[in-house]
Amino acid sequence: GAAEAAINAKVDFSVDLRWEEGGYDNVKMLQARAPSQPPIVTHPVTGDPTWFCNVHSHSSKLRKDRESIYGAERFEDGASQINKSDMYFGDDGDIPNEALEEMDQVTAKNMKYVKMREGDVVLLDNYKCMHGRNVFDGTRKHGVAWFEGWDGEEDTK
């Protein structure tokens, strides 16, 4: 329908919309399900295997854990209110909490923080750098652009 067309125009894959209960806070909601994707992909330029999975950001269990650390009130508006996503295995099976916690621990051990000031810009290669943001006060502008690399990128192989 119209909702699927609007969502599919913003992403590079087709979503399946479903009314289901559960996930973030056990309420009935319209869920947009992306097709199953492997968590490890090949970088298009270097050919290196790359972890390409947002489980650290989109797991409802890990998000609830962050709420208990930073305070639930930090997650009550903006994208935190509408982005109530969750992660599943390719067969729609639940990912065990132990596996989610292990992925979160590996992520935490490899995090590097970038302290930003007003006017700063960060450019990231999605294939080379898992990224996110911590809680903060204030507003942000989030721009996304896709591009075909840079001069000399072939030399990184």
Side-chain angles (χ1 to χ4, degrees):
E4 284 177 336
I7 292 170
N8 287 332
K10 296 198 170 275
V11 295
D12 58 354
F13 50 82
S14 293
V15 298
D16 176 30
L17 295 181
R18 305 177 191 178
W19 282 103
E20 293 193 17
E21 290 183 17
Y24 188 75
D25 52 9
N26 295 319
V27 297
K28 189 167 188 172
M29 68 182 106
L30 184 61
Q31 295 182 359
R33 293 287 186 104
S36 298
Q37 301 171 21
I40 298 174
V41 298
T42 301
H43 189 279
V45 174
T46 66
D48 293 333
T50 304
W51 177 256
F52 195 71
C53 179
N54 286 329
V55 71
H56 64 285
S57 295
H58 295 288
S59 159
S60 64
K61 185 251 186 285
L62 297 179
R63 199 166 37 254
K64 285 179 185 178
D65 290 351
R66 284 192 294 276
E67 286 179 6
S68 70
I69 294 168
Y70 298 110
E73 67 278 0
R74 302 294 299 260
F75 298 88
E76 290 176 352
D77 60 7
S80 297
Q81 182 62 27
I82 61 172
N83 189 19
K84 293 183 175 183
S85 54
D86 209 344
M87 299 294 289
Y88 302 91
F89 282 119
D91 64 0
D92 280 343
D94 290 333
I95 301 173
N97 287 348
E98 299 78 25
L100 291 168
E101 289 165 2
E102 183 174 354
M103 284 185 266
D104 198 46
Q105 289 169 5
V106 169
T107 300
K109 279 196 275 187
N110 291 283
M111 286 192 318
K112 305 288 184 233
Y113 290 92
V114 176
K115 179 90 171 158
M116 297 180 68
R117 295 186 310 241
E118 186 174 342
D120 286 349
V121 174
V122 174
L123 299 175
L124 302 165
D125 181 338
N126 264 355
Y127 286 97
K128 292 181 181 176
C129 179
M130 182 167 55
H131 58 280
R133 71 212 53 65
N134 209 338
V135 294
F136 61 93
D137 293 317
T139 59
R140 71 180 178 115
K141 269 191 181 170
H142 183 210
V144 177
W146 295 97
F147 60 94
E148 294 295 324
W150 59 89
D151 287 342
E153 185 178 20
E154 288 290 325
D155 299 334
T156 66
K157 285 187 175 182

